[in-house]
C-alpha cells in the first residue's frame, strides 16, 4: 500500500483500472474463495477516487470497463458500464462534493438514500423496458428452473416466490457491493492518512422519507394481490427490498445511540451487527426502528440524553 502512493497520479489511475478489471475477470475462478473475493473489484477504483478526486476515479473506471471488454467479453463490460460505472461515479460525486464553505455537502445517510433512489430507478426502468418489449423474464426463468428435478410442489412454489423477489434482491446486492467496497477503501485510506474526506459529526444524519416509500411498496403489494397482477407485485417487492437499506441505516443508528450509554456499548453494537446479518431475522426489528423514527424521533431522544 505505501508503494502504491509513491506512484504518480496517472500511474495510480492506470494501476487501479487494470487491477479492477483483472480482479473481476479472474477472481471468480479462484477455487473456494473466488466467489467471496469477486464482489470487491471496486475497491481499487474507490481508492484512487477517494484519495485524488472523482475525475481520477472516472478515468480509472473507464479503463477498467475497456479492459473488462477485452478480458471478459462485451456482455460483462456492458453490465459494468450500465450499472457499476454509473453508480460508482454517482457515489464518488456525492461522497466528495463540498459546499461553498468547503464542508462536505452530503452525510453518509444522504448518500445511501440518494444511491438507493437511483438503484430503484434503474431497476424500475429495467422492468418497464422488459414489459414494453413483451419479454416475460419470469416465465423464462421458471422454464429454466423446471429443468431441475424438484422433489415437492412446495419447493417449486418457494422458487416461484423467490423469482418475484429477484429484481429487488439484485438492487440490494448492487447497493451492498458498492457501499462495502467504498467503506473498505475509505478505511484503508484513513489508515495511511490519504483520504480526501474526513469524518463529520453529521455523517449519521439520514432523510426520513423512506418509511413513506416502504408503505407505498406495501400498498402496491396489496393492490397486486387484489388484481392478481404479477408485474405490479414484482415492482412492489423491489421497492420493499431497496427501501429496507436506508431504514436499516436509521435503525442501526438508533441502536448505536442507545447502546453507547452502556458499559462496553461498542462491543454490544458490534455483536448486534454481526448477529443481525448472520441470522437475518433481527434485521426485521432494525427495519421497524427505522420505520417508526419519523413519528417517535428516537435518534433525537437518545442523542439528547447523552448531552
Amino acid at each position: 500500500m505505501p508503494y502504491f502512493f509513491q506512484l504518480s497520479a496517472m500511474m495510480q489511475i492506470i494501476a487501479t483500472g487494470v487491477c479492477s478489471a483483472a480482479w473481476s475477470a479472474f477472481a471468480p475462478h479462484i477455487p473456494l474463495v473466488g466467489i467471496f473475493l469477486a464482489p470487491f473489484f471496486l475497491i481499487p477504483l474507490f481508492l484512487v477516487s477517494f484519495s485524488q478526486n472523482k475525475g481520477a476515479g472516472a478515468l480509472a473506471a473507464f479503463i477498467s470497463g475497456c479492459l473488462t471488454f477485452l478480458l471478459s467479453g462485451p456482455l460483462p463490460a456492458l453490465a459494468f458500464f450500465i450499472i457499476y460505472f454509473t453508480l460508482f461515479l454517482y457515489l464518488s460525486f456525492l461522497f466528495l462534493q463540498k459546499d461553498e464553505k468547503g464542508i462536505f455537502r452530503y452525510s453518509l445517510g444522504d448518500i445511501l438514500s440518494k444511491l438507493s433512489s437511483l438503484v430503484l430507478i434503474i431497476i424500475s426502468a429495467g422492468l418497464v423496458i422488459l414489459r414494453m418489449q413483451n419479454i416475460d423474464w419470469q416465465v423464462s426463468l421458471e422454464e429454466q428452473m423446471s429443468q431441475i428435478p424438484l422433489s415437492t410442489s412446495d419447493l417449486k412454489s418457494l422458487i416461484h416466490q423467490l423469482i418475484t423477489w429477484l429484481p429487488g434482491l439484485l438492487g440490494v446486492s448492487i447497493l451492498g457491493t458498492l457501499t462495502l467496497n467504498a467503506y473498505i477503501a475509505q478505511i484503508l485510506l484513513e489508515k495511511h492518512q490519504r483520504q480526501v474526506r474526513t469524518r463529520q459529526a453529521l455523517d449519521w444524519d439520514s432523510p426520513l422519507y423512506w418509511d413513506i416509500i416502504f408503505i407505498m411498496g406495501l400498498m402496491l403489494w396489496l393492490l397486486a394481490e387484489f388484481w392478481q397482477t404479477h408485474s405490479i407485485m414484482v415492482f412492489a417487492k423491489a421497492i420493499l427490498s431497496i427501501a429496507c437499506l436506508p431504514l436499516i441505516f436509521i435503525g442501526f443508528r438508533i441502536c448505536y445511540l442507545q447502546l453507547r450509554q452502556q458499559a462496553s456499548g461498542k462491543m454490544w453494537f458490534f455483536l448486534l451487527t454481526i448477529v443481525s446479518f448472520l441470522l437475518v431475522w433481527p434485521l426485521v426489528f432494525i427495519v421497524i426502528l427505522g420505520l417508526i423514527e419519523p413519528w417517535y424521533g428516537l435518534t433525537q431522544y437518545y442523542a439528547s440524553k447523552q448531552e
Side-chain angles (χ1 to χ4, degrees), residues 13 22 26 35 49 70 73 78 85 90 98 104 134 142 195 217 219 227 232 239-240 256-257 267 285-287 289:
I13 293 170
F26 301 120
I35 191 172
S49 182
L70 296 175
L78 183 63
F85 183 77
Y90 189 54
K98 293 183 178 181
F104 290 101
N134 294 320
E142 287 177 1
Q195 77 278 11
M219 292 174 64
W227 287 332
I232 297 179
I239 292 175
L240 291 173
Y256 176 77
L257 289 172
M267 182 193 72
F285 171 72
I286 305 296
V287 169
L289 285 178

Side-chain angles (χ1 to χ4, degrees), residues 222-282:
L222 294 174
L223 287 174
E225 286 284 1
F226 179 75
W227 287 332
Q228 292 295 305
T229 310
H230 291 293
S231 57
I232 297 179
M233 176 65 75
V234 172
F235 183 55
K237 289 181 177 180
I239 292 175
L240 291 173
S241 301
I242 294 172
C244 279
L245 287 181
L247 293 175
I248 286 172
F249 184 88
I250 297 169
F252 271 127
R253 184 191 182 195
I254 295 170
C255 293
Y256 176 77
L257 289 172
Q258 201 281 331
L259 290 172
R260 195 170 62 174
Q261 305 175 41
Q262 322 259 338
S264 306
K266 290 185 177 180
M267 182 193 72
W268 286 113
F269 179 73
F270 176 76
L271 290 175
L272 172 66
T273 305
I274 297 298
V275 170
S276 296
F277 285 101
L278 284 178
L279 299 181
V280 179
W281 66 262

Side-chain angles (χ1 to χ4, degrees), residues 16 41-50 53-62 80-95 115 118 174 178 181-182 185:
T16 51
F41 69 99
L42 292 172
I43 291 177
L45 302 182
F46 280 117
L47 282 174
V48 74
S49 182
F50 290 175
N53 52 63
K54 45 188 175 288
L59 181 55
F62 180 76
F80 174 83
F81 276 113
I82 292 177
I83 301 175
Y84 288 107
F85 183 77
T86 304
L87 294 172
F88 165 77
L89 293 183
Y90 189 54
L91 197 160
S92 296
F93 170 78
L94 295 174
F95 192 78
L115 201 62
L118 182 57
I174 292 170
L178 281 164
N181 278 255

Side-chain angles (χ1 to χ4, degrees), residues 182-217:
Y183 174 76
I184 294 173
Q186 180 69 4
I187 291 297
L188 290 173
L189 291 172
E190 288 178 353
K191 182 178 180 181
H192 295 276
Q193 298 183 348
R194 295 283 182 168
Q195 77 278 11
V196 172
R197 177 177 177 134
T198 54
R199 300 191 182 192
Q200 302 180 115
L202 300 178
D203 270 345
W204 280 86
D205 286 358
S206 185
L208 299 178
Y209 51 75
W210 281 98
D211 59 317
I212 300 173
I213 297 175
F214 188 89
I215 293 171
M216 286 175 57

Side-chain angles (χ1 to χ4, degrees), residues 68-117:
T68 299
F69 176 81
L70 296 175
L71 294 172
S72 304
L75 193 58
L78 183 63
F80 174 83
F81 276 113
I82 292 177
I83 301 175
Y84 288 107
F85 183 77
T86 304
L87 294 172
F88 165 77
L89 293 183
Y90 189 54
L91 197 160
S92 296
F93 170 78
L94 295 174
F95 192 78
L96 300 175
Q97 183 69 13
K98 293 183 178 181
D99 59 17
E100 59 277 0
K101 297 180 181 179
I103 300 173
F104 290 101
R105 186 182 298 273
Y106 301 107
S107 68
L108 298 183
D110 286 327
I111 293 171
L112 178 61
S113 178
K114 293 179 183 298
L115 201 62
S116 300
S117 300

